[in-house]
Amino acid sequence: DSSTKSPLPDSVVEKLKAWNRLDWEIYTHFNRTFWERIERDIGRERMRREVMELQARRAELARTCLQGTGSVAPKDIKDSSLRPLQHGGARILGYNLKQGLDGELERTCRRLVTPELQYSSLLYKKQFPPQPAET
């Protein structure tokens, strides 16, 4: 929720970069080489078009999957399994799915709006299913 965001002063940003200097150097290296490859392999114009296509597809999925106009406050999320963990001062928003979606579409939409911790748990269970007890 943008109401819980606040910009960091430049002095704090510089301290964070110093504390995380190696991470920052890795990030800047790969960000630079990413854009070099975009320029070399597909060009900025094609990248811009593909980003626009992605944004249009995201909007289409939101219209298909979501009740209302988008994200809602945690207290307004009807399905508790789709409620993000609230920690600290930030308020993490979530989504309500439209009612009556058919089976496969409902599963697709649910995967798209499942919060990070719940999604990670699902992936873990899929990657490491419980082994049957030996008898």
Side-chain angles (χ1 to χ4, degrees):
D1 181 1
S2 60
S3 71
T4 61
K5 289 182 184 178
S6 59
L8 295 173
D10 289 342
S11 62
V12 172
V13 170
E14 292 308 313
K15 281 182 184 177
L16 288 167
K17 285 180 188 177
W19 290 335
N20 297 291
R21 186 177 64 79
L22 292 177
D23 290 334
W24 180 247
E25 287 179 18
I26 291 169
Y27 168 80
T28 55
H29 167 78
F30 284 104
N31 187 51
R32 179 180 44 77
T33 57
F34 169 79
W35 287 108
E36 287 171 358
R37 288 181 76 178
I38 293 298
E39 291 285 350
R40 182 184 70 234
D41 296 345
I42 67 170
R44 294 240 178 186
E45 180 55 32
R46 179 174 165 196
M47 179 70 158
R48 187 190 66 73
R49 285 192 315 270
E50 289 188 13
V51 167
M52 287 176 53
E53 288 175 26
L54 180 61
Q55 290 168 335
R57 178 66 176 137
R58 182 185 179 282
E60 177 187 339
L61 284 165
R63 285 188 301 275
T64 300
C65 295
L66 302 179
Q67 284 182 10
T69 58
S71 57
V72 296
K75 66 179 179 51
D76 297 324
I77 299 170
K78 295 177 179 103
D79 182 341
S80 62
S81 72
L82 296 178
R83 197 169 292 133
L85 172 68
Q86 302 298 309
H87 181 73
R91 189 169 70 146
I92 311 301
L93 303 177
Y95 301 93
N96 285 314
L97 293 179
K98 281 185 179 174
Q99 299 298 306
L101 297 171
D102 71 42
E104 187 58 34
L105 180 58
E106 195 274 341
R107 282 188 291 280
T108 297
C109 292
R110 180 170 289 278
R111 282 195 308 268
L112 291 171
V113 301
T114 297
E116 177 182 5
L117 293 179
Q118 292 93 315
Y119 200 84
S120 295
S121 178
L122 291 170
L123 285 177
Y124 185 88
K125 288 174 186 170
K126 187 173 185 175
Q127 290 176 331
F128 306 103
Q131 299 299 312
E134 291 186 27
T135 56

